[in-house]
Amino acid sequence: ALVSLTDHDTIGAPVLLRMVPEAGEIPFSLEWSVPFEEAIFHLGIHNLPGSQAQAIMADLAGYTQSPSAQRLSELIAMLDESPDVLIVFNHPLWDLRGIGQQRYQQLLLQFLQRHVRFVHAFELNAMRGRKENDGVIRLAGHWHRLLVSGGDRHGCEPSGALNLTEAKSFSEFVREVRAEQRSHVLFMPQ
């Protein structure tokens, strides 16, 4: 099994887990909070290069603290330049700040018009409802992006959504999604 654990705006968990010899291959990943005007979007940033993970994390945190449209474009493009990094738009239809569906949809459209070329997949989230996930499926189809599994478990129970893959490493899985345009999502009974 391949697992990419994410916390909000930190790679602390993967850093600690990599101290355990059996977990040495866990990718450096996070869920990046991306302020975009009145909205906040969450991007899953998976498999950061180990030698640059801390510096990249500092750059991402700097943007979150002091957003700028130009800096956002630079950061997302920089992440996309690494062929082993996977950028996933997590729960893209969730209006986290409660700004209202009409305004949220306007900002989502603006964000995607500017940055979708750097987004490799949209998340089907096991903790979000079927109606929302159906909307994500339509959104991904409209923007010609794949779907990958996600969970937002915030606890010890494993995610109810899994990706089925033949990859032997997370970098191989990233290649399946980015280069081969392959992703197979399975929702478990729970």
Side-chain angles (χ1 to χ4, degrees):
L2 305 171
V3 177
S4 182
L5 299 173
T6 60
D7 274 335
H8 291 273
D9 304 310
T10 179
I11 57 171
V15 168
L16 288 173
L17 282 170
R18 279 181 163 233
M19 293 181 184
V20 178
E22 296 83 17
E25 296 300 313
I26 287 182
F28 292 110
S29 303
L30 70 142
E31 185 171 45
W32 179 29
S33 298
V34 180
F36 189 82
E37 296 191 30
E38 307 99 275
I40 291 184
F41 301 124
H42 282 157
L43 297 181
I45 310 298
H46 302 272
N47 207 34
L48 292 172
S51 63
Q52 301 169 343
Q54 295 291 352
I56 292 170
M57 190 60 245
D59 287 340
L60 300 181
Y63 170 83
T64 299
Q65 293 301 313
S66 183
S68 114
Q70 180 177 341
R71 186 65 180 141
L72 176 58
S73 296
E74 292 168 357
L75 288 170
I76 294 177
M78 175 269 301
L79 291 166
D80 179 62
E81 285 176 7
S82 177
D84 289 335
V85 170
L86 183 65
I87 303 171
V88 178
F89 200 142
N90 293 347
H91 41 73
L93 298 180
W94 187 12
D95 176 9
L96 294 166
R97 283 196 166 158
I99 62 174
Q101 273 307 114
Q102 183 177 357
R103 180 64 178 147
Y104 183 81
Q105 289 296 326
Q106 290 171 342
L107 293 175
L108 176 62
L109 178 61
Q110 288 175 23
F111 178 87
L112 290 172
Q113 287 171 336
R114 294 178 196 168
H115 305 294
V116 75
R117 68 186 178 275
F118 304 119
V119 174
H120 307 127
F122 289 92
E123 175 199 53
L124 281 179
N125 189 311
M127 294 300 290
R128 307 301 302 164
R130 173 139 189 181
K131 182 179 177 183
E132 185 175 322
N133 278 324
D134 286 346
V136 172
I137 291 168
R138 287 188 299 276
L139 185 69
H142 176 79
W143 291 98
H144 307 289
R145 291 296 176 269
L146 292 179
L147 297 160
V148 296
S149 63
D152 271 338
R153 299 315 288 181
H154 295 267
C156 296
E157 182 182 354
S159 177
L162 306 170
N163 260 85
L164 304 179
T165 179
E166 296 177 6
K168 303 285 189 264
S169 70
F170 204 83
S171 291
E172 285 182 27
F173 173 69
V174 172
R175 278 191 292 282
E176 281 183 2
V177 174
R178 288 185 63 171
E180 299 171 21
Q181 292 291 291
R182 276 193 301 138
S183 176
H184 304 283
V185 178
L186 171 67
F187 271 80
M188 302 298 287
Q190 74 255 40

